[in-house]
Amino acid sequence: EVQLVESGGGLVQAGGSLRLSCATSGFTFDDYVIGWFRQAPGKEREGVSRISSSDGSTYYVDSVKGRFTISSDNAKTTVYLQMNSLKPEDTAVYYCAAASDDYGFPPLSSPHFGSWGQGTQVTVSS
């Protein structure tokens, strides 16, 4: 069974940091692209970042460039999202999802991202 489990969320003041984890199981990790997404109350889900587990390629949406860093530990089949200089507008539920690299390095808008985790809440106070 494919599983992705997010953790690491919490309440932090603006300017603070959090590290999210996405622990995966049930599939060949090296053959997948893992994406981080977020959904704020009343807003649509948006893609934040993605990483190729096979070659380490990364992508960030403009709003988090220079503040967030995505990384993967292939031995632990876990992807991390280090979030620094957090802003109140980063407040959201953060999710991870996986897409097979049969589809290349799919954009975060791709319908091929699936097996969504349950999410972890990040709240940034001003």
Side-chain angles (χ1 to χ4, degrees), residues 3-10 19-24 33-51 68 70 79-81 83 90-99 108 113-122:
Q3 280 194 318
L4 287 83
V5 180
E6 303 94 339
S7 63
R19 189 178 81 154
L20 305 184
S21 299
C22 173
T24 77
V33 175
I34 306 298
W36 280 101
F37 303 79
R38 65 187 180 186
Q39 187 165 20
K43 295 187 177 181
E44 292 188 355
R45 186 174 62 205
E46 66 167 338
V48 174
S49 181
R50 69 188 195 269
I51 186 167
F68 291 10
I70 192 170
V79 171
Y80 304 97
L81 186 69
M83 306 187 297
D90 295 317
T91 295
V93 178
Y94 284 70
Y95 301 89
C96 57
L108 292 166
F113 277 101
S115 302
W116 296 86
Q118 83 290 347
T120 186
Q121 176 71 48
V122 172

Side-chain angles (χ1 to χ4, degrees), residues 68-110:
F68 291 10
T69 303
I70 192 170
S71 62
S72 68
D73 184 331
N74 288 34
K76 296 182 178 179
T77 65
T78 298
V79 171
Y80 304 97
L81 186 69
Q82 177 67 43
M83 306 187 297
N84 298 329
S85 302
L86 282 162
K87 304 176 180 180
E89 51 264 43
D90 295 317
T91 295
V93 178
Y94 284 70
Y95 301 89
C96 57
S100 170
D101 65 10
D102 287 348
Y103 305 107
F105 191 48
L108 292 166
S109 59
S110 170

